[in-house]
Amino acid sequence: MSWRKIDIDQYDEDAYTEDEILAEFETGLSTEQVNSATHTRNTDVRNLLSKGDMNGALACALQDPPYGRHLENAKAESTKMVTEVLNMFRAADIADIVKSLNPEQQDLTEVAGNGCIVRVMTDKRTVF
């Protein structure tokens, strides 16, 4: 038997499985309920965008993100909405918008995959 194929975590009492780690983030809602809530929130975000309230739309998009297992559709839809809202801001306004967010909302923009983009856009120094 090759030593590379041995799962050493099976012998470690303190090793956690992915299911055990993600179980603490379960909300108790079914997948359908989370998908419905995400769809409703995205509709609210679009309504705010149509009214021209981009700050409110961003705050709404970052509100109650879907956490947990088996929520890939809700996570993808939520991430897409946050990305769409962030893309509507001018590059010059990104720094002020990010500063106006609370720390949890700032973390969510990074989780949405835009963290490095937002950091680059808000950085005052230019590296060539």
Side-chain angles (χ1 to χ4, degrees):
M1 173 179 261
S2 172
W3 62 272
R4 294 179 184 183
K5 294 182 181 182
I6 297 173
D7 180 17
I8 61 169
D9 287 334
Q10 69 181 339
Y11 303 112
D12 186 6
E13 295 175 1
D14 295 330
Y16 294 102
T17 64
E18 184 177 344
D19 287 338
E20 291 173 329
I21 294 169
L22 293 177
E24 71 181 72
F25 295 109
E26 294 293 327
T27 60
L29 300 175
S30 70
T31 303
E32 293 80 22
Q33 290 172 319
V34 173
N35 287 336
S36 175
T38 301
H39 182 70
T40 302
R41 182 177 53 254
N42 289 349
T43 302
D44 294 342
V45 169
R46 285 188 182 94
N47 289 338
L48 289 168
L49 287 173
S50 68
K51 293 177 185 176
D53 184 9
M54 293 192 342
N55 292 346
L58 182 59
C60 185
L62 295 172
Q63 185 179 23
D64 297 326
Y67 287 117
R69 300 172 286 179
H70 315 297
L71 300 174
E72 285 75 22
N73 291 337
K75 290 177 185 179
E77 190 176 334
S78 184
T79 300
K80 182 180 174 189
M81 182 53 60
V82 171
T83 303
E84 287 178 18
V85 173
L86 285 173
N87 286 333
M88 297 189 90
F89 286 99
R90 293 184 316 202
D93 296 337
I94 295 289
D96 294 330
I97 297 304
V98 171
K99 288 178 186 174
S100 71
L101 298 174
N102 66 38
E104 181 181 340
Q105 290 172 327
Q106 290 175 359
D107 289 344
L108 288 173
T109 59
E110 291 185 25
V111 169
N114 298 307
C116 59
I117 296 168
V118 171
R119 283 192 297 268
V120 168
M121 294 173 77
T122 60
D123 194 4
K124 293 179 176 42
R125 294 170 284 155
T126 304
V127 178
F128 292 99

